[in-house]
Amino acid sequence: MSRAERSTARELRAAAPVFAALGDETRLRIVARLGTGGPASIARLTEGSGVTRQAISKHLLVLEGAGLVRSARQGRESVYELHPRELETARRALDRISAAWDDALDRLAAHVEQSDE
């Protein structure tokens, strides 16, 4: 395995929990809401979501486990904040995959053009 392949494999392993966490629509909406609205309590995240407070709490635990959100106590409530570093890790993994596909398609196009000659 080449150095680039090992690096890609490492990035994919690091990004896998992020992709798994974001594979759920409710969690994706929570991340989007925290990304646009800033830090929020469970009560605030529950408002208008159509999801129970208990379900939001469970989703936040998954997001926290994937490193996507962090919580801090403010009085009696926990306030959750988006932690974008893990999103950046996932974006880099997708960029590497995209670049690999672009390279493969370029090689295929070159091969087809060469075969037509």
Side-chain angles (χ1 to χ4, degrees):
M1 185 180 285
S2 72
R3 175 181 277 174
E5 289 170 328
R6 283 192 303 274
S7 179
T8 299
R10 230 181 353 267
E11 282 183 343
L12 287 174
R13 276 193 302 278
V18 173
F19 293 130
L22 295 177
D24 180 90
E25 183 181 345
T26 300
R27 290 192 290 267
L28 191 56
R29 283 196 320 258
I30 291 170
V31 167
R33 191 164 178 187
L34 290 173
T36 58
S41 66
I42 293 173
R44 193 163 141 225
L45 290 169
T46 302
E47 291 172 5
S49 69
V51 180
T52 67
R53 186 180 175 109
Q54 183 180 12
I56 292 290
S57 294
K58 288 181 180 182
H59 286 296
L60 285 166
L61 283 174
V62 172
L63 292 170
E64 204 165 20
L68 290 166
V69 299
R70 289 186 177 165
S71 65
R73 295 292 289 176
Q74 286 187 357
R76 292 177 24 182
E77 289 189 311
S78 289
V79 174
Y80 290 82
E81 182 175 24
L82 184 63
H83 186 58
R85 187 179 75 197
E86 297 305 321
L87 286 173
E88 181 61 26
T89 299
R91 187 195 60 76
R92 278 194 313 271
L94 289 175
D95 286 347
R96 281 192 183 265
I97 292 168
S98 178
W101 273 98
D102 289 345
D103 290 345
L105 289 172
D106 288 345
R107 287 191 308 274
L108 177 62
H111 178 73
V112 168
E113 287 173 7
Q114 186 179 22
S115 296
D116 286 342
E117 292 175 358

